[in-house]
Amino acid sequence: MSNTGSFADKVVLTTGGGTGIGRATALAFAQQGAQVVIAGRQTKTGEETIRHIRETGGKADFIQTDVTDEASVKALIDTIIQTHGHLDAAFNNAGTAAPFGPLFEVTEQVFDETIKANLKSVWLCMKYEIPQMLKQGRGAIVNTASTLGHVGTANMALYVAAKHGVVGLTQTAALEYASQGVRVNAVSPGSIETPMGERAFGSLENYRQAMSPAYPIGRIGLPHEVAEAVLFLCSDGASFITGQALVVDGGNLAQ
């Protein structure tokens, strides 16, 4: 977004804001004048993002949070309201990768951990964000789904199931609160240059070489390209958009 200051006086929460898409989005919100609150488990990476924001004149706080734990999420939202008085937008982005492998080889523990990190976390965040936004009479939420929330992919059953669940939660929440001033959307990124992808393939170069051929644009995406979509969906420019999962994938799903 080129309209500098378009989020001035807005309080915006970004979960998983320590790295990758979350960090890029937190930086972008700050550049548009928002008071950014970053939530995550890792204090080191969260504080690094805060430092980047403050070095460029932005405003940001970090609150250590486990978004899979209800008490922790409740405390996060309570702290935001006590400190800033309102919550205008939220980007529920925190999540993890899941092991590759056949469905029948997945253990119950891995199933529980994957669904908890990628789906339960989104539900918990919305559970506490939405009541505050209803009190205010307005608010915008964006959840991180995935292109894999729209299709099936062999050997990724749990991640696919979780991201399909995020799309479903997004659509349902949008319908429940559309008439009360709260918009709920999702972004569905394709392969993006993030530490999570880098870890999965051993190096960023391996990741690029393996995945780029799948994208008509000829490359995988960059975190700031997803951030732009998130800011649009949270902006007044998207005031008639709710219940959507905006795919950001260089044409992959169009094939």
Side-chain angles (χ1 to χ4, degrees), residues 126-169:
M126 288 201 294
K127 178 176 180 178
Y128 288 95
E129 293 159 355
I130 288 172
Q132 175 59 36
M133 291 179 177
L134 291 174
K135 289 178 185 177
Q136 300 165 181
R138 71 189 309 266
I141 294 171
V142 176
N143 301 317
T144 296
S146 167
T147 52
L148 299 186
H150 302 264
V151 296
T153 299
N155 297 314
M156 295 190 69
L158 301 187
Y159 190 80
V160 167
K163 293 303 185 178
H164 273 73
V166 170
V167 173
L169 272 179

Side-chain angles (χ1 to χ4, degrees), residues 8-255:
D9 302 320
K10 304 291 187 184
V11 177
V12 178
L13 167 65
T14 299
T15 72
T19 61
I21 292 169
R23 173 175 286 181
T25 305
L27 288 166
F29 273 123
Q31 288 166 1
Q32 299 300 322
Q35 166 64 58
V36 179
V37 178
I38 295 167
R41 287 184 297 180
Q42 302 299 324
T43 301
K44 181 180 178 181
T45 56
E47 293 290 354
E48 286 173 356
T49 303
I50 296 298
R51 179 172 54 79
H52 288 311
I53 290 173
R54 290 177 178 169
E55 284 175 351
T56 57
K59 300 170 291 183
D61 303 321
F62 173 75
I63 301 175
Q64 187 175 32
T65 307
D66 179 355
V67 293
T68 70
D69 178 78
E70 183 165 7
S72 186
V73 174
K74 182 180 185 300
L76 166 67
I77 303 303
D78 286 347
T79 300
I80 291 172
I81 302 311
Q82 289 165 9
T83 304
H84 301 292
H86 52 106
L87 176 63
D88 301 289
F91 179 36
N92 299 321
N93 168 70
T96 63
F100 293 94
L103 185 149
F104 69 88
E105 293 183 359
V106 173
T107 66
E108 184 176 14
Q109 180 181 354
V110 171
F111 176 93
D112 289 344
E113 289 174 351
T114 303
I115 298 301
K116 186 177 179 182
N118 293 291
L119 181 58
K120 180 184 178 182
S121 62
V122 173
W123 166 69
L124 280 176
C125 287
M126 288 201 294
K127 178 176 180 178
Y128 288 95
E129 293 159 355
I130 288 172
Q132 175 59 36
M133 291 179 177
L134 291 174
K135 289 178 185 177
Q136 300 165 181
R138 71 189 309 266
I141 294 171
V142 176
N143 301 317
T144 296
S146 167
T147 52
L148 299 186
H150 302 264
V151 296
T153 299
N155 297 314
M156 295 190 69
L158 301 187
Y159 190 80
V160 167
K163 293 303 185 178
H164 273 73
V166 170
V167 173
L169 272 179
T170 297
Q171 292 171 330
T172 301
L175 292 174
E176 289 182 2
Y177 304 106
S179 66
Q180 299 174 71
V182 178
R183 296 186 299 104
V184 186
N185 291 291
V187 285
S188 293
S191 296
I192 307 295
E193 292 190 8
T194 64
M196 188 166 71
E198 185 177 358
R199 286 192 298 271
F201 285 82
S203 74
L204 192 54
E205 188 55 36
N206 288 345
Y207 186 30
R208 290 173 181 146
Q209 290 182 0
M211 299 308 298
S212 292
Y215 292 86
I217 274 182
R219 62 174 175 82
I220 61 176
L222 300 172
H224 78 84
E225 294 174 311
V226 181
E228 291 288 338
V230 176
L231 264 67
F232 167 66
L233 290 172
C234 289
S235 74
D236 291 340
S239 57
F240 198 54
I241 301 174
T242 195
Q244 301 303 304
L246 177 57
V247 176
V248 185
D249 75 339
N252 178 261
L253 289 189
Q255 300 176 103

